[in-house]
Amino acid sequence: MRPLNRAATGALLVAVFIVALVYGAQFPILPLLLERSLGSPTAAATNTGLLAGVYAFALFLFAPLWGRISDRWQRRGVIIVGLVGLAFALMLLRAFDRIVALYMGEFLAGAFSAAVLPGALALVADSSPDEDWRGRRFAWLNIANLAGFLIGPVLGGLLGAMWQGEMPVSGAPFTFLSVGAVLSAAGAHLLLPRRSTRPDRRVMAPRNRAALRLLLPCAGLVALGLGTFEVGLTIRGLQQLRLTPAEVGFMFAECMVIMAASQLIVFNRWFPVRTTRWLLAPAFIVFAIALLMLPLAASATKLFWAVAAVGASAGVLSPVIAFWISLNAGQGQGRKLGWQAAAASFGLGVGSVLGGLSLGTIGPLHLPFVIAAAAGLLGALLTAAFAVQPARHVRL
């Protein structure tokens, strides 16, 4: 295949952005819908958390399946089906009249969302003329994903406020998001390559099973730390340091900006992409130390530096791990990148549970952060073992 042109790359970036945007935008809206339906703020909060778990569970189940389908069929078709299915799930959420329908819609949203990011990464891998090109596009896709997560909650809050009170249970924001998914699917249909995306055997390195066994768990370990960080930062900031919601939001924005900046620094024309494997173990160590700093931060300034360290290290880890999984996946790009997405979803779910328990302490440190930091150190050991392996080169 020829390298993706700018229009096709833009369509992929928009697709990944829309999926992340939908995920982030739902959760300022869902508590309002649930409270109106159930009549209890406590029940609304509980069900919001359970719905997030259902979404992550569906992503975990279906990402490997979609990856396998994309290997046997085509990336473009899988991405389009994922976006159209996501739009359908959002309309189901829009029309729900029973709590069971809401859970069904959330499960379907996670199941169809699972098709998009692995398919997009695999399509980039298939059409890569060289490793530097692949690494930079992987970084762009990760930045689009981060931007969606960052903008989603803000957009969801604005949409919820805009349509609040129009109907007994306002679902108009879901219609807005559904239209976005449909438009993205239309763009993918028009701009992505129409031919089968099976890669040329001559330009794919053979599968390195040993490297994959080391790297796939690392995707889950990064997500575990981020899940603990996201929920724990909210609890720590609001309930213990008495920060305002705006200040906590600023902390998250800071993290996302630093993550994006670190990806652009690592994947650029002047940084040899083959050397990125040596960054993984040091980044995991910084990640672990930063997670331990979070419960020790006694002021907003100290918390700011801890969040910056999390963002800088995680911004290196996520795209670099995805890049090396792709490089060692051989022709099974979709399946292995699907497994990476599944591992990340599982880790994010476990980390979110740990973060929710972050008010309990053992000694001077919060136990959930200690567990997450230990996971980071385990990641450092696994990636150090990977880094000393001989790097396999793609045959061009």
Side-chain angles (χ1 to χ4, degrees), residues 27 66 92 111 129 132 142 164 185 215 221 262 282 305 341 346 383 389:
F27 293 102
W66 284 120
L92 183 62
D132 290 329
N142 274 279
Q164 186 174 4
L215 290 172
L221 294 174
S262 63
W305 290 111
F346 180 79
T383 50
Q389 290 186 348

Side-chain angles (χ1 to χ4, degrees), residues 90-132:
L90 289 169
M91 291 309 295
L92 183 62
L93 291 172
R94 162 72 174 81
F96 91 97
D97 57 354
R98 295 184 180 180
I99 192 70
V100 174
L102 194 60
Y103 276 91
M104 184 181 300
E106 203 64 45
F107 182 84
L108 289 175
F112 283 108
S113 295
V116 177
L117 182 57
L121 291 171
L123 181 53
V124 166
D126 291 344
S127 57
S128 298
D130 56 60
E131 296 167 7
D132 290 329

Side-chain angles (χ1 to χ4, degrees), residues 134-199:
R134 184 190 312 204
R136 287 196 298 273
R137 270 61 182 183
F138 271 33
W140 294 357
L141 289 172
N142 274 279
I143 291 171
N145 197 42
L146 287 173
F149 280 119
L150 175 62
I151 298 172
V154 178
L155 178 63
L158 291 174
L159 292 174
M162 186 182 303
W163 277 292
Q164 186 174 4
E166 281 196 4
M167 290 174 278
V169 178
S170 175
F174 290 114
T175 303
F176 181 89
L177 297 171
S178 179
V179 170
V182 170
L183 292 175
S184 179
H189 175 75
L190 293 172
L191 300 174
L192 295 183
R194 296 176 181 273
R195 54 179 285 188
S196 172
T197 57
R198 292 182 183 275

